[in-house]
Amino acid sequence: DEVLHTIKRHENICNYIHLPAQSGNSRVLKLMNRTYTRDWYMGKVDKIRDILGESCGISSDMITGFCSETEEEHRDTLSLMDYVQYDFSYMFFYSERPGTLAEKKYEDDIPLEIKKRRLSEVIEKQAELSLSRNKLDVGKTQKVLIEGYSKRSEDFLQGRNSANKVVIFPKGNLQKGQYVQVKILDCTSATLKGEVVAID
């Protein structure tokens, strides 16, 4: 809580937290040697929302198809994603890494096609959540740090807001390293799009 209150007090700390979950099921988390449960994790998310509000960006790591994961346990991951409403996630299917506790103790018993199908469901869920979360920013004006040209066109610049979201806007006479106020006019699941209304 002290960290969250510190973030709230200081404008120069990003309003964004990467809170890896890996799975939404407590049994799987224990097998993964994680030191928390689903309920504990959800309690942390509740605190983030209580103290920092809905504008705080939250991202996660998710792994599908861990050893012995059932369909019901996979659905627990999807339901956790719905509960948290992640802004974005880093998503993978499980593969054995030599020397890890899982490789030594557990059989990698989930077929690859099931791992990939579960991963595609997690990716699809995250795309829906990312779009929903980005739509909340449309119409707002946000402080953005310019990082450089947009990946698609040198007529546009891109930067990040305090929630670590990519914002794209026309280049004008602006430069990398400047802070600008950008009014968000549109979005995709991956980016916010807008126009500069002031230079900080």
Side-chain angles (χ1 to χ4, degrees):
D1 292 6
E2 186 182 350
V3 171
L4 298 176
H5 286 296
T6 302
I7 292 171
K8 186 172 184 176
R9 272 198 313 272
H10 297 279
E11 194 264 343
N12 65 328
I13 302 176
C14 283
N15 201 26
Y16 162 71
I17 294 172
H18 182 61
L19 196 68
Q22 310 287 13
S23 170
N25 178 269
S26 293
R27 185 192 76 88
V28 174
L29 289 170
K30 189 172 183 180
L31 290 179
M32 288 176 163
N33 205 30
R34 311 304 291 188
T35 57
Y36 51 85
T37 64
R38 175 189 175 93
D39 287 344
W40 182 94
Y41 185 95
M42 291 166 75
K44 288 291 173 249
V45 170
D46 292 343
K47 277 292 185 184
I48 292 169
R49 297 297 186 210
D50 287 347
I51 296 169
L52 296 176
E54 285 299 320
S55 64
C56 181
I58 303 178
S59 64
S60 188
D61 297 340
M62 289 296 179
I63 297 173
T64 65
F66 191 78
C67 311
S68 78
E69 180 188 65
T70 66
E71 278 300 312
E72 186 177 355
E73 288 165 342
H74 166 62
R75 287 194 295 274
D76 284 343
T77 294
L78 297 174
S79 70
L80 180 70
M81 294 174 73
D82 280 329
Y83 184 86
V84 178
Q85 297 284 302
Y86 293 111
D87 292 86
F88 52 94
S89 294
Y90 302 94
M91 301 158 285
F92 314 90
F93 63 79
Y94 174 72
S95 57
E96 278 190 338
R97 286 202 316 230
T100 61
L101 188 66
E103 189 255 346
K104 290 174 187 168
K105 285 181 72 174
Y106 309 122
E107 180 188 354
D108 183 8
D109 58 354
I110 308 296
L112 183 60
E113 63 269 20
I114 292 178
K115 291 179 183 179
K116 287 184 173 179
R117 191 256 304 155
R118 289 177 185 173
L119 177 60
S120 72
E121 290 175 6
V122 166
I123 290 170
E124 184 180 343
K125 171 71 69 179
Q126 186 56 59
E128 293 169 7
L129 295 175
S130 294
L131 181 59
S132 173
R133 290 283 297 166
N134 284 349
K135 283 180 176 177
L136 297 176
D137 290 327
V138 174
K140 296 179 180 176
T141 298
Q142 302 179 335
K143 187 174 184 178
V144 174
L145 173 62
I146 301 174
E147 295 183 326
Y149 289 114
S150 161
K151 290 176 182 173
R152 294 197 176 175
S153 168
E154 292 199 357
D155 293 331
F156 290 82
L157 294 172
Q158 73 174 40
R160 288 181 191 265
N161 66 13
S162 186
N164 200 29
K165 294 184 183 181
V166 173
V167 184
I168 296 170
F169 45 91
K171 178 175 69 174
N173 295 315
L174 303 164
Q175 296 178 21
K176 183 176 175 178
Q178 284 181 296
Y179 281 103
V180 287
Q181 295 288 335
V182 178
K183 183 170 185 181
I184 307 303
L185 303 174
D186 197 7
C187 70
T188 67
S189 62
T191 57
L192 302 173
K193 302 172 182 180
E195 63 182 12
V196 174
V197 295
I199 300 173
D200 274 19

